[in-house]
Amino acid sequence: MSIPMTRLGNRAFTHEDNADVEREYDRLRDLARAEANKRNDCFERSRRAYEDGDGARAKALSNEGKAHDAKMREYNRQASEYIFRENNAPGRVEPDSIDLHGQFVEEAERILEQRIRADQARGQTHLHVIVGRGNHSANHVQKLKPKVEELCRELGLQYGTEDNDGRIYINLQGGEPVPPPKPSKPPHGGQQHHRPPQHRPPQEEYPEEEAEGLIPLLLRKLEKACCAVM
């Protein structure tokens, strides 16, 4: 079953109200969804053509679907980069923080890993990651936070959930993930510390959250079959 493409949180732009930013972001994501629908339609018609024995038409429709898939990915790339620039513009987040609102999970994972590696190379000691509380996700389940924690474990980094449970503190250089105290924060709540395992078992394969961005396995097999009969 196809999982709809969803973003993190109820608003992509998490600072002052700005309808223009939200509108442009939604426009790009809507264009991506439209291309995804066209892609899926082409692949479905390709499958039917193949079952009917029309290999040439099946191959043509498959290629058309691939073209729509490429356009979908491009629109999603533009949306991801656009909202990241807006949310992380100078003055909107602290230099030691990164805001991942508006990103799909796989987009956020890629952006965060690049940031972690760059900060480590510069000798930065820590990073605050704004992931959101999941209040507007299905069943109020956070999608991004578990992926950030998984990435930290893969990189051997210790992390902690901050008093604001929509933020994660990552120690980039080793040691306990203890952020500097913030007097404006309430004293209760604390944080949860997590140490990376000494011996990590083989990584499980997680289903992609944005299934609209992937070609179903059945269609991959179909494309191979189409190529075989041509």
Side-chain angles (χ1 to χ4, degrees):
M1 181 178 65
S2 178
I3 303 175
M5 292 186 290
T6 55
R7 71 189 187 210
L8 169 67
N10 61 327
R11 292 175 61 231
F13 187 60
T14 56
H15 303 278
E16 70 276 5
D17 288 337
N18 190 322
D20 290 338
V21 172
E22 290 284 342
R23 189 178 301 112
E24 176 61 11
Y25 172 83
D26 288 338
R27 183 186 72 85
L28 292 168
R29 290 301 195 193
D30 287 344
L31 287 171
R33 291 187 179 91
E35 291 297 330
N37 290 335
K38 293 175 183 177
R39 177 203 63 188
N40 294 342
D41 179 66
C42 286
F43 286 153
E44 175 59 24
R45 287 190 290 151
S46 175
R47 181 188 65 80
R48 292 198 299 265
Y50 176 74
E51 291 176 349
D52 292 340
D54 192 345
R57 178 168 173 75
K59 181 63 176 178
L61 287 168
S62 176
N63 287 337
E64 185 178 346
K66 289 179 181 179
H68 287 301
D69 184 74
K71 290 181 179 179
M72 179 206 71
R73 292 175 184 275
E74 174 60 19
Y75 284 130
N76 276 330
R77 182 193 66 79
Q78 292 179 26
S80 171
E81 293 181 356
Y82 173 76
I83 200 61
F84 182 81
R85 288 194 304 269
E86 293 295 333
N87 279 331
N88 292 273
R92 288 177 176 163
V93 294
E94 297 297 325
D96 61 351
S97 301
I98 184 172
D99 188 340
L100 296 176
H101 277 84
Q103 303 295 331
F104 292 160
V105 172
E106 62 179 12
E107 295 169 345
E109 181 181 22
R110 180 181 65 253
I111 292 170
L112 179 58
E113 182 172 359
Q114 292 173 349
R115 173 65 180 270
I116 286 174
R117 295 190 183 281
D119 280 0
Q120 287 178 320
R122 289 192 294 266
Q124 298 295 320
T125 60
H126 65 275
L127 180 65
H128 298 276
V129 184
I130 304 170
V131 297
R133 299 183 178 182
N135 293 337
H136 301 274
S137 300
N139 299 319
H140 302 292
V141 176
Q142 290 176 303
K143 293 183 178 182
L144 184 56
K145 184 179 178 182
K147 181 60 69 174
V148 171
E149 294 172 341
E150 178 190 342
L151 177 61
C152 288
R153 291 192 294 269
E154 290 177 355
L155 297 177
L157 299 174
Q158 296 188 44
Y159 60 91
T161 301
E162 300 187 32
D163 291 340
N164 175 351
D165 60 7
R167 290 165 56 101
I168 295 176
Y169 177 89
I170 304 176
N171 189 318
L172 300 177
Q173 301 297 335
E176 293 290 339
V178 182
K182 295 183 178 181
S184 60
K185 296 287 185 180
H188 59 79
Q191 63 174 342
Q192 303 167 4
H193 291 178
H194 302 265
R195 296 177 179 271
Q198 294 298 319
H199 300 285
R200 191 170 71 247
Q203 293 292 316
E204 298 180 359
E205 294 186 3
Y206 288 81
E208 294 293 340
E209 292 291 335
E210 283 70 49
E212 292 288 358
L214 302 176
I215 301 175
L217 179 61
L218 176 62
L219 296 176
R220 289 184 185 277
K221 294 181 179 179
L222 170 61
E223 293 171 24
K224 293 179 181 179
C226 290
C227 294
V229 300
M230 288 300 290

